């Protein structure tokens, strides 16, 4: 089998940030990397699950919502994938920055966190999710849409 694109990225040099991971037609996959890979500091499963619920809810309800295809966690617990369609790089960055600011301050019930709505609704940690998102906000604010690419 061929190696998939995400395994071709040099994870030994990857830093927190936001990167265009791949283009499939008009769908863009964004790597929202919150943690440096393989350094022992990862999102807890409960924090990642909470961020997944919050990020997806915010993104789909934002003014960019029609351009959001998918939001989901990376299995390695170092970040999230955001798939967009019809959004510019600047709009994807703006959406992500706004979402992380909102999540860092969020203090309410976690959307979709009920037995009827979620397959593991008890696996939530809002304080840890808020802290992880707060740490990511300055990273996102330090980026510009012209440089959202992996460094070779």
């Amino acid at each position: 089998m061929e190696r998939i694109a995400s395994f071709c990225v040099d994870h030994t040099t990857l830093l927190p940030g936001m990167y265009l991971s791949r283009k499939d037609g008009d769908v863009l996959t964004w790597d929202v990397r919150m943690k440096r890979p393989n350094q022992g500091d990862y999102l807890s499963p409960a924090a990642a699950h909470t961020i997944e619920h919050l990020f997806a809810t915010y993104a789909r309800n934002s003014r960019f919502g029609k351009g959001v295809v998918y939001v989901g966690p990376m299995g390695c617990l170092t970040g999230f994938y955001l798939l967009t369609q019809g959004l510019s790089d600047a709009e994807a960055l703006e959406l992500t920055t706004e979402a992380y600011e909102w999540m860092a301050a969020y203090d309410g019930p976690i959307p979709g966190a009920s037995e009827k709505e979620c397959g593991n609704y008890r696996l939530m940690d809002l304080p840890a999710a808020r802290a992880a998102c707060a740490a990511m906000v300055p990273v996102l604010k330090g980026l510009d849409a012209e440089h959202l690419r992996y460094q070779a």
Side-chain angles (χ1 to χ4, degrees):
M1 287 190 219
E2 291 183 34
R3 259 175 60 188
I4 63 171
S6 63
F7 295 160
C8 297
V9 175
D10 184 352
H11 285 69
T12 65
T13 61
L14 196 55
L15 298 173
M18 183 170 167
Y19 308 92
L20 180 62
S21 179
R22 59 182 294 139
K23 293 173 92 170
D24 297 287
D26 60 351
V27 175
L28 303 181
T29 299
W30 296 97
D31 172 337
V32 183
R33 189 67 59 156
M34 298 175 68
K35 302 287 186 173
R36 189 162 182 199
N38 302 308
Q39 299 299 306
D41 178 28
Y42 307 101
L43 296 166
S44 72
H49 190 206
T50 305
I51 294 168
E52 176 189 17
H53 279 241
L54 294 173
F55 193 4
T57 298
Y58 182 89
R60 290 191 176 110
N61 284 282
S62 74
R63 67 186 180 282
F64 302 112
K66 290 184 192 236
V68 175
V69 175
Y70 173 77
V71 174
M74 295 176 179
C76 61
L77 298 173
T78 62
F80 284 80
Y81 290 113
L82 169 66
L83 278 68
T84 63
Q85 187 173 38
L87 297 183
S88 68
D89 293 6
E91 289 170 327
L93 177 58
E94 188 175 351
L95 164 62
T96 304
T97 303
E98 290 174 3
Y100 274 76
E101 288 175 321
W102 178 79
M103 292 186 291
Y106 187 78
D107 190 28
I110 298 165
S114 74
E115 184 175 15
K116 188 174 183 176
E117 300 167 302
C118 178
N120 197 359
Y121 75 100
R122 290 185 189 103
L123 183 69
M124 299 287 175
D125 186 344
L126 183 57
R130 287 177 58 177
C133 291
M136 189 63 181
V137 168
V139 173
L140 292 166
K141 286 187 169 189
L143 301 175
D144 69 84
E146 302 300 316
H147 299 93
L148 299 178
R149 302 296 184 268
Y150 292 122
Q151 300 301 311

